[in-house]
Amino acid sequence: MSASAAEAKRAFRGPASACLSLEVIIVPLALLVMDKVEGGLTPAKIAWVVVLTVGMIVAIATFSRPWGLPLALGLQVLMLLGWIVSPSLGVLGVVFCLTWLGMLWMRHEVLKRHARWADQGG
């Protein structure tokens, strides 16, 4: 991997950490919606939100590790599975999964263009 491709991969850490930071703020706010709209909080709903929030904080802190991206994506899967516990959490899961898909697509495009540029001798 060229130095420029490594830099492009490292550059993804900022937007990914920013997205996870937004999730750390928004996911606990879902508890308010669950309480008012879904008829109250249950221990399962609270536990799911706490596990997701703590997991996202850990993912932010460890995103530079090789397993940081898989951890962040695994948390998005847990958000989607949150639909089982709460439709509100499921809707957030869909929104953030689409956000992550967009970011991963952009990352792929940047890496592909860096590789093409390196092959041309740039």
Side-chain angles (χ1 to χ4, degrees), residues 71-87:
L71 173 62
L73 296 177
L75 289 167
Q76 303 316 306
V77 171
L78 280 178
M79 284 271 289
L80 277 177
L81 290 176
W83 203 293
I84 297 167
V85 177
S86 163

Side-chain angles (χ1 to χ4, degrees), residues 30-41 45 49 86 89:
L31 288 172
L32 299 172
V33 175
M34 290 177 205
D35 189 31
K36 300 293 182 195
V37 176
E38 296 175 12
L41 296 173
K45 290 178 182 180
V49 168
S86 163
L89 209 50

Side-chain angles (χ1 to χ4, degrees), residues 40-51:
L41 296 173
T42 64
K45 290 178 182 180
I46 294 169
W48 202 281
V49 168
V50 168
V51 166

Side-chain angles (χ1 to χ4, degrees), residues 3-120:
S4 120
E7 289 172 10
K9 283 190 176 190
R10 272 195 310 271
F12 183 67
R13 288 189 295 205
S17 294
C19 187
L20 284 168
S21 297
L22 284 173
E23 289 182 75
V24 166
I25 295 167
I26 292 170
V27 169
L29 291 174
L31 288 172
L32 299 172
V33 175
M34 290 177 205
D35 189 31
K36 300 293 182 195
V37 176
E38 296 175 12
L41 296 173
T42 64
K45 290 178 182 180
I46 294 169
W48 202 281
V49 168
V50 168
V51 166
L52 279 172
T53 303
V54 170
M56 289 172 189
I57 291 169
V58 169
I60 292 168
T62 61
F63 203 81
S64 62
R65 305 257 194 306
W67 44 269
L69 180 59
L71 173 62
L73 296 177
L75 289 167
Q76 303 316 306
V77 171
L78 280 178
M79 284 271 289
L80 277 177
L81 290 176
W83 203 293
I84 297 167
V85 177
S86 163
S88 302
L89 209 50
V91 169
L92 281 177
V94 169
V95 168
F96 279 109
C97 280
L98 290 173
T99 302
W100 276 91
L101 281 173
M103 289 184 353
L104 289 171
W105 175 77
M106 286 185 262
R107 176 182 184 253
H108 170 75
E109 284 296 313
V110 167
L111 291 173
K112 184 172 75 174
R113 290 175 189 198
H114 271 276
R116 192 175 334 146
W117 180 73
D119 288 344
Q120 293 174 355

